[in-house]
Amino acid sequence: MIDVGWICVAAVRAVYWLVMLVCNFLGYSPLWAQIAMKNRKMENVRIRIPSHLAVCFTEKRLVDLSEVIQMMDSCVSAGIRQLSLYDPYGELVGQIGQIEQACRLFIRADLFCDGECLHSNGLANLQVNVLSRKMGKTALVEACKTLCREDEKITTERVSKILEEKFHLSDPDFLLQIGSVPTLCGYPPWNLRITEFLQSPRLPCSRRALDYCVEAFSQRDIRVGK
Amino acid sequence: MATNLTADEEAGWFVAQQEQPWWQWLLRRFIASGPIPRHVAFVMDGNRRFAKSKHLGNVIKGHEKGFVQLAKILDWCNRFGIREITVYAFSIENFKRSEDEVSGLMRLAEEKFQKLLNDSEKLDEKRICFRFYGNRSLLSSRLQKLMSDIEKRTEKFDGGRLNVCMPYTSRDEITRSFETIRNHVKEGKVDVDDVSEYFLNILKKCGKFQINESMIDACLDSGCGGTVPDLFIRTSGEHRLSDFLMWQAADTHVYFDDVLWPEFGYYNLCKAILNYQYYRTTVVKISALNVSEYDAPSTTWKMKFSGDDRDLIAIKA
């Protein structure tokens, strides 16, 4: 008597063997192998959380307040300490009141807008810095004016210090360019020295989407000249 | 690749103007029907990885291959009608590398600059103006002299412009620009303090002006006749600026390519220019957002230069 079950198992195994043979011949790994390889690669990569994450909106239609607030929440849970939101269109600065309210009520976050402190809580897990176009080259012009009033020689350290103290501008570890336009839209230039860039079609507001970006950051090789 | 180069051409800055292969000619004619960037900046990254992957034995061999590729790319850009090219040859941060590599790179630079000066006939034929950006005081006196001689020799040429950044970082360039302005303030030529419109007009009448973006622009290394890049290209799959032209490229189209610099071929250059053409209008619109009432400078500035002499002048008030 022929065992139907045995024939089915043998047929499945034969088909699987054939698929493997074809895939190996064509140079493609089967889907499960690709997933396993990806997981193994990720196990070997030490996940590095960027301490300072920056977001640069390259398209006006992608500036959405609810998504921004959701992203702030995701940043808190991912352990990101500072979030700079650069919007060259000025939409976020126009809605700063609502962002401030969200920072006060839902997210334990300090809020700065164009270098001005709007809300500060001693126990905050996140610092949010909303930046407009004014914080680009114009902030550097102001820094230059301040330094020119003093007698001391101007050094890179002093420029960084002035920008930090006067405009709350510091170097982001990772910058997300939101949208498809490949430009930095005038993001404060001084602070992009060794910042890593990643282009994303939309704001990674969910925790899962943000984790994907953090994984991409972890895989980057940062050498600083060496 | 465009042409098979002779040993002499491989060592030099200019490759022979021979006929292009038909497919390159066709691609160029097709692409040149659209807008072409006037100024392209390159971060020539990936020479060391190229040397390792091709088992060349020494990283300097990778840099030599990178230089050969640069000469080819200069020729291709010239054919496309790109008027200005800026290349990141050596960063101040690169002094952290091994002594062997740094001295090897300096030797290579000396050899290439000397070769350029000796190639008088080619220089006169191509008429390309060479400029060097960066803090030259960190280099040997021989290299400084060679750079200065090349600049003087090519100062009046108008066939195109090549800016070589060595040893350069953008922060250092901006800081030196600030220091130049501070010296002008000390001399009483520039006024710092914010004043009302009434007093501003009085200051202008006295020949004193306020610090603005245009003044910083003029005091940068690129202030001596350079322009803002339209396209910024970085090779080798790294996605960062690495302290290169951060001020000038703040609103520029930034393009990253995964290939290593010595493998950056004609096809890759065409892809970059096509990408520039696709986004050009949008990038221009975004950069135009900058020109608000707040940003618009009341006075524009220019750095008048001749040899090593510099003079900051207000050209519109």
Side-chain angles (χ1 to χ4, degrees), chain B residues 3-18 67-68 71 112 115 122:
Chain B
T3 48
N4 290 325
L5 306 179
T6 62
D8 189 47
E9 281 166 2
E10 281 215 0
W13 289 79
F14 307 109
V15 296
Q17 282 275 347
Q18 290 170 4
F67 178 78
V68 173
K112 298 298 175 191
K115 168 97 186 151
K122 280 270 172 66

Side-chain angles (χ1 to χ4, degrees), chain A residues 57-59 86 88-89 133-134 136-160 170-171 177 180-199 220-226, chain B residues 45 48-49 91 93-97 170-172 174-175 177-179 181-182 185-186 192-194 210-213 216-217 228 234 236-244 246-256 275 279 282-283 286-290 294-295:
Chain A
F57 290 95
T58 65
E59 290 179 61
Y86 177 71
Y89 307 98
R133 192 103 207 179
K134 274 196 281 181
K137 287 183 180 174
T138 314
L140 267 171
V141 173
E142 291 305 312
C144 179
K145 285 180 183 174
T146 309
L147 291 163
C148 284
R149 286 190 191 102
E150 295 166 17
D151 287 330
E152 218 178 319
K153 190 173 187 279
I154 299 174
T155 59
T156 48
E157 291 76 22
R158 289 186 66 214
V159 179
S160 298
S170 59
D171 301 355
Q177 289 169 279
S180 60
V181 189
T183 172
L184 296 164
C185 303
Y187 187 94
W190 182 267
N191 301 99
L192 294 178
R193 190 174 76 98
I194 49 166
T195 302
E196 292 287 333
F197 303 143
L198 180 76
Q199 193 127 23
R220 298 283 175 88
D221 172 32
I222 301 165
R223 290 173 288 150
V224 198
K226 284 185 183 167
Chain B
D45 195 16
R48 293 191 300 170
R49 269 169 280 171
S91 160
E93 303 283 349
N94 290 156
F95 281 115
K96 291 177 190 165
R97 291 182 180 177
S170 189
R171 280 195 175 179
D172 177 70
I174 298 169
T175 307
S177 162
F178 283 11
E179 187 60 17
I181 294 170
R182 194 177 73 90
V185 172
K186 266 167 58 180
V192 180
D193 294 311
D194 293 327
Q210 278 196 299
I211 296 166
N212 60 20
E213 257 182 49
I216 295 174
D217 260 327
V228 167
R234 176 161 192 160
S236 87
E238 304 292 350
H239 292 234
R240 53 178 177 261
L241 298 183
S242 291
D243 217 340
F244 181 50
M246 293 193 299
W247 174 279
Q248 294 90 336
D251 287 291
T252 295
H253 182 119
V254 182
Y255 179 82
F256 297 107
N275 193 268
Y279 288 108
T282 323
V283 172
I286 295 173
S287 60
L289 289 172
N290 205 7
Y294 190 82
D295 298 313

